[in-house]
Amino acid sequence: EITYGDWSSDVCSSDLRNNIDHYTGATFGCHENYSLNRKAPLHEQNVLSLLAFLTLRVLLAGAGRVGTVRPGHLRADPRGSADAPLFQISQRADYIQNDFFEWVQHNRAMINTRDEPLADPRQYRRLHLIHGDTSVLPSALFLKVGTTRLILDLLDADDLPPVALADAVSTLRGLSRRTRPPWTATLADGTTADALELLERYRMRANAAFRGRDAETDALLDLWQRTQAGLAANPESQVGIVDWVTKEYLLRAFCESEGLDWSHPWLEAQDLEFHQIHPEKGLGLAMANLDGYWNPQRVDLACSDPPQDSRARARSRLMREIAGKDTSYFLDWEAVEVPTVSRNRLLDPFQT
């Protein structure tokens, strides 16, 4: 919280991390970046399977939102205002227009195809995602990033399950607008399947390939299994674990206590309060289940002490050398440059 003394002692600013502005209808992206081996087998079956997972994972990783953008102006959505959802699973689903596209500000796509590895282009490529929601609960972030990383490990091993959706964009939007099972998805062959059962195919492949690799992977696989089972049986069992479930639970209780319906504008304000990053103010963080591997440790230390097995350590060391000097500098993911000094290239993500 910041107090602006020049204005008034009563004027304060709150910090939020979310993806929508209810007032203007604007959206803000949550950018996920994953390094892939340049030789990863990106043949058609694997690309379609990866796209399917990134669509289906909204059930695990959606942050939830009140309402929607203007109906009738969305791909594969001819419905009118009477059909607009009062609450949905994903903040970003309404704004995604394509499966694949090169740019991020217009014609938003699930996968950004620009080949910008931010590392040695001979060894790496970057998977850049902008369709996901900003996570609030530590467990939700653990699920979102962790399961995606396991799927990319399966991709490297050419071991993804053969799953292809008929239309990933409309499937994402359809899943987002249904908050109770069953969730269904139409496959490329015209048949329909249960979305959680499709996700289970991915989990079982990952479990068979990576169970026992390390404690983090085992904790992730266990949470993945429990979360999917909980969503199938009783979504409210995942309060404190899954963002959208937790937000809906809180807003429903708020409506009941205040005698409001879901169209009341007060809910939009409460929606934002869920995303406060201050641990003593955020409605979401107050509900977090921290009984697990995902409980963030050493948070204060992490602000100044970078991971010791990545180039963040090298970049931090170079920045400390520059700090306090009367000089200009250039700083990027893969390079640090100071005038009169040769450029320091950081092409290896694991360079320390």
Side-chain angles (χ1 to χ4, degrees):
E1 181 180 277
I2 303 171
T3 301
Y4 297 94
D6 291 341
W7 294 353
S8 166
S9 60
D10 297 327
V11 177
C12 296
S13 170
S14 296
D15 295 315
L16 309 172
R17 293 178 63 250
N18 77 323
N19 303 106
I20 53 172
D21 180 349
H22 289 290
Y23 182 72
T24 66
T27 183
F28 324 110
C30 174
H31 293 251
E32 298 172 59
N33 294 279
Y34 302 87
S35 285
L36 295 179
N37 190 311
R38 175 63 69 174
K39 297 180 180 179
L42 292 174
H43 51 73
E44 183 178 13
Q45 178 177 300
N46 277 347
V47 170
L48 292 178
S49 182
L50 174 60
L51 181 64
F53 170 79
L54 294 174
T55 304
L56 299 167
R57 73 167 196 175
V58 68
L59 299 177
L60 306 173
R65 66 161 293 173
V66 173
T68 182
V69 297
R70 286 190 305 157
H73 294 270
L74 305 171
R75 171 177 162 183
D77 182 28
R79 293 170 290 186
S81 58
D83 300 304
L86 298 175
F87 182 88
Q88 56 179 311
I89 289 174
S90 171
Q91 297 203 342
R92 288 284 281 174
D94 283 348
Y95 299 91
I96 301 302
Q97 297 294 322
N98 256 318
D99 306 340
F100 307 95
F101 198 66
E102 184 176 3
W103 306 110
V104 297
Q105 292 182 318
H106 306 286
N107 206 353
R108 299 180 186 93
M110 298 180 67
I111 296 178
N112 173 240
T113 58
R114 185 171 57 186
D115 190 3
E116 186 184 18
L118 304 179
D120 188 340
R122 298 166 298 180
Q123 299 184 53
Y124 299 99
R125 68 171 72 243
R126 178 173 61 129
L127 177 65
H128 183 197
L129 308 177
I130 64 169
H131 75 297
D133 293 357
T134 298
S135 302
V136 174
L137 301 172
S139 51
L141 179 60
F142 188 51
L143 272 172
K144 179 178 70 177
V145 176
T147 57
T148 303
R149 183 66 259 179
L150 289 182
I151 296 309
L152 297 179
D153 290 344
L154 287 176
L155 170 63
D156 275 336
D158 201 13
D159 194 26
L160 286 173
V163 179
L165 300 175
D167 186 333
V169 174
S170 59
T171 299
L172 176 66
R173 193 165 295 125
L175 293 175
S176 178
R177 295 179 175 217
R178 184 179 181 90
T179 59
R180 291 295 179 271
W183 292 279
T184 59
T186 302
L187 302 178
D189 63 5
T191 63
T192 58
D194 183 275
L196 288 174
E197 291 179 2
L198 293 175
L199 277 173
E200 180 66 4
R201 297 185 195 179
Y202 291 92
R203 191 199 65 79
M204 291 179 65
R205 287 284 181 102
N207 189 74
F210 306 123
R211 170 71 69 178
R213 182 169 67 179
D214 52 50
E216 179 178 284
T217 300
D218 288 352
L220 174 60
L221 289 167
D222 290 342
L223 179 62
W224 190 355
Q225 181 178 30
R226 292 199 305 272
T227 302
Q228 284 187 182
L231 289 174
N234 175 23
E236 281 196 6
S237 67
Q238 300 308 299
V239 169
I241 296 292
V242 176
D243 279 330
W244 71 265
V245 174
T246 307
K247 181 185 285 186
E248 185 194 33
Y249 174 84
L250 285 172
L251 294 181
R252 189 179 301 279
F254 182 72
C255 285
E256 292 174 356
S257 67
E258 298 294 334
L260 305 176
D261 61 45
W262 280 88
S263 61
H264 198 286
W266 199 356
L267 266 69
E268 294 180 351
Q270 297 301 99
D271 187 337
L272 291 178
E273 292 300 318
F274 186 88
H275 294 268
Q276 284 261 15
I277 66 173
H278 196 297
E280 295 181 3
K281 291 187 174 184
L283 298 182
L285 291 175
M287 297 291 290
N289 181 331
L290 299 177
D291 185 19
Y293 194 94
W294 54 88
N295 185 1
Q297 303 292 328
R298 302 170 65 248
V299 173
D300 292 337
L301 180 60
C303 293
S304 58
D305 189 26
Q308 298 300 296
D309 59 351
S310 80
R311 64 184 174 187
R313 180 172 182 265
R315 189 163 48 236
S316 176
R317 173 175 52 80
L318 292 167
M319 291 174 65
R320 292 174 192 274
E321 293 178 4
I322 296 171
K325 295 182 179 179
D326 185 17
T327 182
S328 60
Y329 59 88
F330 171 84
L331 175 66
D332 206 347
W333 288 91
E334 76 280 10
V336 177
E337 183 176 2
V338 180
T340 71
V341 178
S342 61
R343 171 179 282 204
N344 291 276
R345 302 302 303 271
L346 305 173
L347 294 178
D348 182 357
F350 302 101
Q351 179 180 346
T352 60

